[in-house]
Amino acid sequence: MPRLPIQPDQHFSLDATLGCGQVFRWEKEGGWWHGIVGSERIKVRQTSRFLQFSGCSTRTLTDYFQLDLDLESVLSSIRKDPLVEESITRCEGLRIIRQPAWECLASYICATYANIPGIKRKISLLAKIYGQPFVSGQEIYYSFPSADALAVSGLGSDGYACSLGYRSPYLYETARQIAADKGWDDRTRNLPFDEARQNLLRLKGVGPKVADCVLLFAFGRYEAFPVDVWITRIMQKCYGRSDLTSYEKIARVGREYFGHYAGYAQEYLFCNREAIVRRSRNRRGE
DNA sequence: ATCCAGGAGTCAG
DNA sequence: CTGACTCATGGA
């Protein structure tokens, strides 16, 4: 089985990276992580200095986990206060994954106002119904459904499939848009940040949160600062910014405060959210 | 049972 | 611009 060395000066934690809720098609079983990315079924485990893996190329794995990114310099740029400091310590080695763009976009449309176990369930169901089956080892897996596949699916008409609820017509509509727009991926990648964001916001089911997640997790725009209920709580109660009420205000302050890699700061804070919020509750005696 | 979840669309002020 | 309401579903 191939293995990939992890440079001693570059922290990487497979558990932190796959377990923090940025991807939805990975499970850990007996020390090994199993995941489906696009139409590859990947198996990975981390030993002290190596990643042992099968199911994809070294290049794919390096790109997916962004192992060439100099994490230490990213972290030194966002180390602004004890709260991020602690989050960086507790989530040591967390890296932002480079997801396939369509898969990321569709996944986060499904993710709106749902919790992580529920999101995983929806996406697995979606793949099983509309994805391409493929064999790996003894088992059958399902690729993430292409935009083309969803564009000719029944998502728009036959009621609410895949228990996507009200997200179903949004996903269908956006799939049709993307299917009809060849090169969407590369074109968006090359746009300036605000323009790329504006373009994403025109898609059905894509608001500021989903747009920022796609910019961050698929297009490597690390200045994107996705704001969810947890980040709102953290900014308001832990950073003492109860004046920040709207999404755009929180996102702007996040970008100004943490800088170019604000998205990385967001991800570390999100990863450490339970500890942060629990402590702030205790201090308040709630 | 009840509340909430990595929200977005729509419409009213 | 902000606020209120609705949307469908499953997890805790």
Side-chain angles (χ1 to χ4, degrees):
Chain A
M1 183 169 304
R3 37 178 222 177
L4 184 57
I6 295 169
Q7 307 308 321
D9 59 329
Q10 284 297 327
H11 284 155
F12 177 67
S13 162
L14 194 58
D15 287 345
T17 299
L18 290 174
C20 71
Q22 57 179 325
V23 281
F24 306 109
R25 299 197 78 191
W26 286 89
E27 296 298 337
K28 192 178 187 182
E29 287 170 26
W32 288 88
W33 282 95
H34 304 269
I36 303 167
V37 180
S39 53
E40 291 178 305
R41 202 256 183 174
I42 303 173
K43 186 176 160 186
V44 202
R45 129 176 122 167
Q46 181 166 23
T47 61
S48 52
R49 295 190 307 281
F50 294 95
L51 286 182
Q52 252 186 304
F53 68 98
S54 66
C56 70
S57 68
T58 302
R59 182 84 210 92
T60 299
L61 205 71
T62 303
D63 184 62
Y64 188 68
F65 290 125
Q66 288 287 291
L67 296 174
D68 289 337
L69 177 77
D70 183 6
L71 184 60
E72 296 312 309
S73 73
V74 169
L75 297 185
S76 68
S77 80
I78 60 169
R79 233 183 266 275
K80 300 280 187 185
D81 58 73
L83 208 53
V84 242
E85 189 81 48
E86 179 207 277
S87 302
I88 289 172
T89 304
R90 296 182 66 124
C91 310
E92 186 178 52
L94 167 64
R95 280 172 187 259
I96 290 178
I97 287 172
R98 181 68 58 94
Q99 303 182 33
W102 163 250
E103 180 169 334
C104 181
L105 171 60
S107 297
Y108 277 90
I109 288 175
C110 297
T112 64
Y113 203 50
N115 50 34
I116 292 174
I119 299 166
K120 288 185 168 180
R121 187 177 170 281
K122 289 181 210 307
I123 290 175
S124 131
L125 208 50
L126 191 69
K128 194 162 189 172
I129 297 179
Y130 299 114
Q132 199 80 26
F134 65 95
V135 176
S136 173
Q138 308 287 334
E139 306 268 334
I140 296 176
Y141 301 96
Y142 297 89
S143 71
F144 193 91
S146 65
D148 296 302
L150 294 189
V152 298
S153 71
L155 280 183
S157 55
D158 57 349
Y160 292 120
C162 303
S163 62
L164 291 181
Y166 59 88
R167 308 160 190 86
S168 191
Y170 298 155
L171 181 60
Y172 176 68
E173 194 52 46
T174 291
R176 289 172 51 110
Q177 289 280 318
I178 301 302
D181 186 3
K182 293 304 167 197
W184 164 78
D185 183 332
D186 289 328
R187 202 162 26 72
T188 306
R189 197 179 306 282
N190 292 320
L191 289 173
F193 182 82
D194 289 324
E195 223 173 304
R197 193 169 191 267
Q198 283 310 118
N199 280 0
L200 286 167
L201 288 173
R202 283 191 210 111
L203 299 167
K204 289 288 180 194
V206 179
K209 170 69 192 342
V210 173
D212 284 335
C213 285
V214 174
L215 288 166
L216 184 58
F217 298 136
F219 293 113
R221 301 302 180 89
Y222 298 117
E223 62 267 53
F225 193 82
V227 178
D228 69 344
V229 287
W230 295 95
I231 294 299
T232 302
R233 264 173 229 161
I234 291 169
M235 293 300 277
Q236 290 179 342
K237 299 191 176 172
C238 304
Y239 283 91
R241 296 297 302 265
S242 49
D243 59 311
L244 302 178
T245 49
S246 76
Y247 185 101
E248 297 299 345
K249 278 183 192 166
I250 298 176
R252 183 164 42 77
V253 168
R255 267 195 288 282
E256 286 166 0
Y257 179 60
F258 291 113
H260 184 256
Y261 290 97
Y264 251 99
Q266 186 272 6
E267 209 49 25
Y268 275 89
L269 292 171
F270 182 79
C271 177
N272 194 29
R273 62 193 179 282
E274 308 87 349
I276 293 175
V277 170
R278 195 180 320 129
R279 192 176 49 236
S280 84
R281 266 207 287 267
N282 291 343
R283 265 211 311 271
R284 274 157 230 278
E286 286 174 21

